[in-house]
Amino acid sequence: MAVSTVYIIQSLNSTCSISTSTKTNLEFHQKQVIFYTTSTKKYSTKKFNTFITCSTSDETKTVVIGLAADSGCGKSTFMRRLTSVFGGAAEPPKGGNPDSNTLISDMTTVICLDDYHSLDRTGRKEKCVTALDPKANDFDLMYEQVKALKSGIAVEKPIYNHVSGLLDPPELIKPPKILVIEGLHPMFDVRVRELLDFSIYLDISNEVKFAWKIQRDMAERGHSLESIKASIEARKPDFDAYIDPQKQYADAVIEVLPTQLIPDDNEGKVLRVRLIMKEGVKYFNPVCLFDEGSTISWIPCGRKLTCSYPGIKFSYGPDTYFGNEVSVLEMDGQFDRLDELIYVESHLSSLSTKFYGEVTQQMLKHADFPGSNNGTGFFQTIVGLKIRDLYEQIVASKASAPVAAKAYNSSTNIHN
Ligand SMILES: Nc1ncnc2c1ncn2[C@@H]1O[C@H](COP(=O)(O)OP(=O)(O)OP(=O)(O)O)[C@@H](O)[C@H]1O
Ligand SMILES: O=C(CO)[C@H](O)[C@H](O)COP(=O)(O)O
């Protein structure tokens, strides 16, 4: 078996320009490498028995964001708000599987971790496990593929087809600038967790989850009230065991609870939403109300903010969450007029906006999304802007780091 040393000179996401003694250029694709020989202008493909590591220069590495939540808890809505912050519409891969769960825009690729189900719908039924059970998911593959994408290597990711309940042939995912992995388990496996540059958990209380699920599954999917109740109950033990504990690892948690402004409210329409932000996370400064570190309770209703019953109440202050120091911004109630949100925005600091009123502008742009009149949409928008800021800081820090020497010294042994 011949061994040749390949010197990595430069890499551009999934394509690595490599100089070898035979002056070939290589393009990396998992265990398969496409050679381009400049002298003959011919391509040839070789397979290797190990993964070839393309040491990308640091400034081209993908930033990875994890978003965890149970099914029907607003992940897709959050993703639409987040990708909108980066501009450009997010769409499924062009010409691919119409049931793909992936969304691609200029800057971002959102992959759904349901695609790493190792058991299809029938398989889960036969083995009596839910999709939330780690036994129904392939964490080794999830780790390998997220790691590859983070280092600039394209992957063939499986597709879980929610229409048929089957595992479809894989789709090619190229490394984007920002990769979002959303689903049930982005922080479950420690190896995947450590690849995340930032993580978010959507913590929807049982009462609210139930109200949202009923609204969607009855209206849009034709399910009966009994079947929705049964499905929530059946998932609960695994949700408690495998999904909920991930919130302790999240850098930001959006907690959604019933309002405290209406005594004994059981309608679940008015919400109390808490944005729990971990302190000391690199490239992330928590948002604050008035001043950092203060403890504040604020009722903004009056001449500058129209509030109908039951009104709006904000609070902000330091706290601890699973032993970590956090800042918590809370909003109970709902907005009557979105254009007046600028009044609230002007009292918040460290928003990472690019101009005065950007949060309000984003909220107005997506006024028809669920949660636009309350803290869910407001805090999701704020977190979206924070992620943009985090990405820009990571890119800036890498651009200023001395990378040239590292890139020239990298070498990979190829066994063929
Ligand atoms: N902030 C919100 N306020 C009110 N309802 C909401 C909110 N977010 C989501 N919902 C409701 O929950 C439903 C599910 O939202 P969404 O599709 O974003 O969740 P999801 O986590 O992506 O779901 P799934 O994983 O099942 O596809 C929506 O159709 C809507 O009815
Ligand atoms: O928890 C879920 C995440 O979305 C789904 O229930 C899981 O992916 C299985 O999907 P389906 O119900 O379509 O077979």
Side-chain angles (χ1 to χ4, degrees):
M1 194 181 270
V3 177
S4 62
T5 304
V6 178
Y7 295 95
I8 298 173
I9 288 180
Q10 194 193 12
S11 58
L12 300 166
N13 280 339
S14 60
T15 305
C16 301
S17 300
I18 287 178
S19 153
T20 68
S21 53
T22 53
K23 292 262 184 267
T24 51
N25 287 332
L26 306 181
E27 208 171 89
F28 283 68
H29 187 60
Q30 293 196 83
K31 292 184 186 178
Q32 180 173 297
V33 173
I34 303 160
F35 284 82
Y36 177 68
T37 310
T38 27
S39 54
T40 57
K41 294 192 175 138
K42 281 199 175 139
Y43 287 93
S44 58
T45 305
K46 284 201 174 170
K47 289 193 174 169
F48 300 95
N49 57 3
T50 57
F51 272 88
I52 308 302
T53 308
C54 167
S55 297
T56 56
S57 57
D58 276 355
E59 74 263 46
T60 59
K61 271 190 189 156
T62 295
V63 170
V64 187
I65 310 294
L67 173 68
D70 196 4
S71 164
C73 285
K75 296 184 297 291
S76 314
T77 311
F78 187 9
M79 280 306 109
R80 289 197 288 159
R81 288 189 197 277
L82 174 68
T83 50
S84 152
V85 163
F86 288 98
E91 285 166 2
K94 284 200 176 62
N97 186 330
D99 295 327
S100 165
N101 301 308
T102 303
L103 285 175
I104 301 176
S105 70
D106 291 348
M107 298 278 289
T108 61
T109 293
V110 181
I111 61 171
C112 174
L113 298 179
D114 294 349
D115 288 334
Y116 293 99
H117 289 337
S118 50
L119 296 175
D120 63 12
R121 207 174 279 156
T122 314
R124 290 194 302 270
K125 222 177 222 166
E126 279 168 5
K127 293 212 158 55
C128 286
V129 290
T130 71
L132 301 94
D133 191 318
K135 287 200 280 294
N137 295 279
D138 186 344
F139 288 103
D140 289 342
L141 185 64
M142 188 192 294
Y143 165 63
E144 272 173 16
Q145 297 206 333
V146 175
K147 185 171 168 234
L149 287 166
K150 191 171 168 108
S151 356
I153 305 169
V155 300
E156 292 278 356
K157 182 188 60 54
I159 299 175
Y160 176 72
N161 189 321
H162 279 280
V163 180
S164 64
L166 298 171
L167 290 157
D168 282 352
E171 61 186 355
L172 179 70
I173 304 290
K174 292 183 182 160
K177 290 193 167 67
I178 300 152
L179 173 71
V180 185
I181 58 168
E182 62 95 354
L184 298 170
H185 305 99
M187 285 99 88
F188 180 82
D189 183 291
V190 62
R191 298 166 303 169
V192 180
R193 194 160 74 226
E194 283 173 357
L195 293 171
L196 302 176
D197 292 290
F198 193 75
S199 53
I200 307 129
Y201 185 91
L202 300 182
D203 188 7
I204 315 299
S205 64
N206 285 334
E207 302 93 315
V208 177
K209 196 193 287 188
F210 191 54
W212 288 2
K213 221 167 161 51
I214 287 176
Q215 180 194 319
R216 182 185 69 175
D217 290 359
M218 281 181 82
E220 295 172 23
R221 302 187 177 177
H223 297 177
S224 69
L225 185 62
E226 287 67 35
S227 72
I228 299 167
K229 273 186 190 163
S231 133
I232 291 179
E233 282 311 311
R235 290 169 71 97
K236 198 162 181 325
D238 283 352
F239 173 79
D240 292 342
Y242 309 118
I243 313 304
D244 193 58
Q246 292 176 89
K247 62 190 181 195
Q248 66 188 293
Y249 306 116
D251 298 317
V253 175
I254 299 180
E255 203 173 82
V256 185
L257 304 147
T259 182
Q260 287 182 336
L261 299 174
I262 306 170
D264 303 322
D265 174 64
N266 50 18
E267 263 193 69
K269 288 210 171 113
V270 182
L271 302 174
R272 178 164 76 101
V273 187
R274 286 158 54 83
L275 174 57
I276 302 165
M277 299 162 281
K278 216 180 242 176
E279 296 288 346
V281 175
K282 201 170 178 193
Y283 305 122
F284 173 66
N285 290 324
V287 175
C288 40
L289 181 60
F290 297 101
D291 258 331
E292 190 186 339
S294 50
T295 300
I296 285 162
S297 179
W298 181 45
I299 294 175
C301 305
R303 261 190 314 129
K304 291 185 177 163
L305 192 76
T306 313
C307 299
S308 53
Y309 179 81
I312 299 178
K313 185 176 168 192
F314 277 90
S315 40
Y316 166 75
D319 206 341
T320 52
Y321 187 76
F322 290 98
N324 295 307
E325 273 185 43
V326 294
S327 291
V328 182
L329 177 64
E330 177 177 314
M331 175 185 159
D332 196 348
Q334 54 193 37
F335 304 114
D336 282 357
R337 293 188 44 179
L338 272 190
D339 53 337
E340 290 176 348
L341 198 57
I342 189 82
Y343 175 63
V344 175
E345 183 176 348
S346 65
H347 288 77
L348 294 168
S349 322
S350 182
L351 275 172
S352 303
T353 46
K354 289 205 191 285
F355 53 87
Y356 177 73
E358 193 178 9
V359 178
T360 306
Q361 191 202 58
Q362 280 292 328
M363 289 287 286
L364 283 166
K365 201 162 139 192
H366 302 302
D368 56 332
F369 284 9
S372 287
N373 66 342
N374 62 39
T376 59
F378 191 42
F379 292 163
Q380 286 176 6
T381 303
I382 289 174
V383 173
L385 293 166
K386 280 281 160 198
I387 290 173
R388 181 183 66 187
D389 184 55
L390 177 117
Y391 166 75
E392 288 175 354
Q393 287 188 61
I394 293 176
V395 169
S397 77
K398 287 188 171 159
S400 61
V403 291
K406 197 173 165 194
Y408 275 93
N409 288 337
S410 305
S411 67
T412 308
N413 287 324
I414 293 183
H415 303 262
N416 55 8

